[in-house]
Amino acid sequence: MNTAILSRRALAFALLLGPTGYAAHAQDSQAAQQKTAPYAMPELPAVTFVGGQANSITRPVTPRALATELVNGVDSSGRVKQGLAVAVTPFALSGGKVTLTEYQNSWFKAMLYNAQVSASTVRTAATNGATDLGVGLRLTVYDASDPMRNKAYTDSISNILFTTLPTQPDDAAVAAAANKARAKIVACRKRWRKANWNKPSFSLASAGGWRLNESKLIPDSPNRWLGWSSWASGGVPLFGTAGQFIGQVRYTNQRRVSLADRSIQAVHQFDYGGRLILGTALLNFSAEVVGVRRSSPLPNVQKSGAEWAGTVEFRATEGIWISTSVGHKLAVVDEATSVVVFGGLRWEFNTDAHLKVGPK
Amino acid sequence: MDFSKPLTVTISFNSPHAVSYRFWYKKPGDAKYTIFATGTDNEYSTSSMHSHVVGPLPSGSELVYLVWFSGNEYTAYAMELALSQEGVLLPGYGFSHRDTTDSDGFAQEKHTITLV
């Protein structure tokens, strides 16, 4: 059995040469984040659809503030500014009212309150200064891991706020008291989420987009419609608070314009994924599968396929976790991780668990 | 406004947040503010509306209200506050605040009303 402690580069080389084993690192690396991304409902579907970055999101809550954002999103020559991300909750924007009691007693009102419309623009690689504009909708249909739907939790938060209010309204006293309240609330929420991180949830999202030549909304031009995507994602608890299964499906309908004859082709893609994670103080386990089916794959792209990965890690002693992973695809390995390879399986020695079972 | 009659301060919350608030007044010449009401979203009689009586207060008095909201991150909150006397709303003394909580789910509204 060939055993060696390898650097990242050497590991990759060894795995490429190895007969059967492919490593799949479960968490805490860029590759892992990319890997787990299919299981997370996009925060802003519009941003996800156009492939933008949600670094700075504006969230207007009044019609006037929204109008200001929209006006500011277009420059003096009528071009849409790039890199915008706006999220609004239509229920609040329209002046709708949902009290805390209603929110806790009606899943429908909670869904209405949390419904979110987003819009985003992103620069494209096209040479004509084009901008992709995306518009999306997200519905949190049900979320038992939402602490605000739990009366015991909100009562405890109200009590924290109540007992921390300052005796005088001067700015210094108010700021000091607010910081104290905020710290207590954050700690309380952290405890609640730790105990409820895997409660059932179900969300839907959809987004569509347009390519604006020269970044202009007007005049209209043919072939601006890019297509649309829809997501459905849900999670259920497993073994109390020890585990969770998350599943997600995504359907995408896009238009592809031929560079040769400008003909338009509708392209369909169906993505699916599932992830199971279990954890205890001594042993963690993760398994995930991601698949795709395409109606018209590009050259050298498979029509359908699936990837999978599994990781088991256990605590050998205080401060030492040993993990092994196996999967269908090679992933990036952390620079700081020491790795031992036994006949195709990757073994890691870490000072902390990679599989963080619990709230995100 | 009739400065010989007490004021009723009514506050209502229209969003799913845990809330606590405190009201102070300060008459002209007072060195410090005096607390006249403290409450939470749990202490209401009808819907999410809370009423507190203060005064009579002389002209030039100040009312301060401090409201803390705690909810989910970046969620919209809404509150309204109005002054009334003998059941009649006082023109110019109705206030509406709408905004979003921060990354900790926390928000604060603090305002001063001068009675004239």
Side-chain angles (χ1 to χ4, degrees):
Chain A
M1 183 175 292
N2 182 23
T3 303
I5 297 179
L6 304 167
S7 68
R8 174 187 175 188
R9 185 173 299 175
L11 169 71
F13 182 67
L15 287 172
L16 285 170
L17 294 179
T20 57
Y22 297 87
H25 200 232
Q27 286 199 355
D28 293 347
S29 69
Q30 182 66 26
Q33 288 174 5
Q34 291 167 352
K35 191 74 179 172
T36 56
Y39 313 106
M41 182 61 76
E43 182 188 358
L44 299 178
V47 174
T48 302
F49 184 80
V50 298
Q53 298 280 332
N55 294 329
S56 178
I57 305 165
T58 55
R59 302 174 190 274
V61 294
T62 63
R64 175 179 291 188
L66 175 60
T68 301
E69 287 298 330
L70 295 178
V71 169
N72 290 340
V74 181
D75 68 17
S76 57
S77 59
R79 288 183 169 85
V80 175
K81 293 180 181 175
Q82 296 167 338
L84 299 176
V86 181
V88 297
T89 50
F91 193 77
L93 194 70
S94 64
K97 299 176 180 178
V98 180
T99 66
L100 185 59
T101 303
E102 292 170 333
Y103 187 82
Q104 291 173 344
N105 294 332
S106 166
W107 68 268
F108 184 71
K109 288 201 171 183
M111 182 184 72
L112 281 183
Y113 175 80
N114 287 318
Q116 179 202 72
V117 173
S118 56
S120 177
T121 62
V122 64
R123 183 177 186 170
T124 70
T127 56
N128 64 349
T131 295
D132 281 355
L133 166 66
V135 176
L137 169 69
R138 174 178 162 149
L139 285 178
T140 304
V141 179
Y142 181 77
D143 187 4
S145 65
D146 177 356
M148 298 310 294
R149 298 206 67 202
N150 184 278
K151 188 170 187 329
Y153 169 80
T154 56
D155 284 350
S156 64
I157 296 299
S158 292
N159 188 54
I160 289 172
L161 295 172
F162 184 82
T163 55
T164 320
L165 285 165
T167 55
Q168 284 293 307
D170 60 278
D171 289 343
V174 170
N179 286 337
K180 193 175 175 184
R182 184 190 295 266
K184 287 183 176 179
I185 290 167
V186 168
C188 184
R189 182 182 297 134
K190 191 174 180 181
R191 284 195 301 274
W192 193 90
R193 284 191 166 149
K194 188 174 182 182
N196 297 275
W197 68 277
N198 61 345
K199 289 290 175 67
S201 63
F202 181 67
S203 300
L204 297 170
S206 192
W210 298 263
R211 176 153 296 173
L212 309 178
N213 291 330
E214 297 181 355
S215 301
K216 288 187 173 180
L217 284 167
I218 302 173
D220 194 6
S221 60
N223 302 332
R224 296 211 300 187
W225 177 241
L226 290 172
W228 59 278
S229 261
S230 288
W231 295 260
S233 178
V236 291
L238 296 172
F239 307 110
T241 59
Q244 183 183 44
F245 175 78
I246 303 174
Q248 186 179 95
V249 293
R250 176 182 180 179
Y251 171 76
T252 302
N253 183 320
Q254 287 182 302
R255 289 160 57 119
R256 186 186 299 160
V257 180
S258 168
L259 292 174
D261 58 6
R262 307 300 294 172
S263 62
I264 297 173
Q265 181 185 22
V267 180
H268 309 275
Q269 181 166 320
F270 180 71
D271 297 272
Y272 59 91
R275 182 179 191 224
L276 183 149
I277 185 164
L278 295 169
T280 66
L282 299 175
L283 181 71
N284 293 328
F285 171 77
S286 165
E288 55 190 346
V289 61
V290 178
V292 62
R293 292 184 64 87
R294 303 179 179 92
S295 64
S296 307
L298 292 166
N300 301 322
V301 176
Q302 290 183 340
K303 190 175 180 68
S304 64
E307 301 170 9
W308 61 271
T311 298
V312 176
E313 67 178 358
F314 58 91
R315 198 180 74 167
T317 181
E318 185 68 37
I320 295 181
W321 284 81
I322 301 175
S323 68
T324 183
S325 308
V326 63
H328 186 254
K329 186 178 179 182
L330 178 65
V332 176
V333 180
D334 287 344
E335 293 279 4
T337 302
S338 298
V339 179
V340 182
V341 177
F342 293 96
L345 282 178
R346 190 189 69 190
W347 294 79
E348 294 184 11
F349 296 86
N350 306 298
T351 55
D352 195 9
H354 274 309
L355 298 175
K356 306 291 187 188
V357 180
K360 306 293 183 292
Chain B
M1 182 181 296
D2 185 343
F3 292 102
S4 67
K5 294 178 179 174
L7 283 168
T8 299
V9 183
T10 303
I11 189 167
S12 61
F13 308 109
N14 304 315
S15 58
H17 294 88
V19 182
S20 282
Y21 60 90
R22 178 161 282 174
F23 297 153
W24 292 265
Y25 71 82
K26 188 169 83 170
K27 296 176 183 176
D30 284 355
K32 287 193 167 186
Y33 288 87
T34 302
I35 297 170
F36 74 89
T38 302
T40 74
D41 53 294
N42 286 327
E43 301 164 348
Y44 52 78
S45 52
T46 60
S47 183
S48 62
M49 193 173 289
H50 314 238
S51 293
H52 303 278
V53 178
V54 62
L57 297 173
S59 178
S61 295
E62 290 182 355
L63 290 181
V64 177
Y65 58 95
L66 171 68
V67 185
W68 282 346
F69 299 84
S70 178
N72 287 325
E73 304 86 344
Y74 306 117
T75 50
Y77 65 83
M79 62 156 282
E80 292 173 359
L81 183 141
L83 303 188
S84 61
Q85 283 184 317
E86 297 183 328
V88 179
L89 292 174
L90 297 174
Y93 288 99
F95 307 92
S96 177
H97 304 289
R98 306 175 76 91
D99 209 332
T100 54
T101 57
D102 62 16
S103 58
D104 288 332
F106 187 83
Q108 170 180 296
E109 292 286 347
K110 176 178 170 264
H111 302 274
T112 301
I113 305 169
T114 302
L115 305 178
V116 291

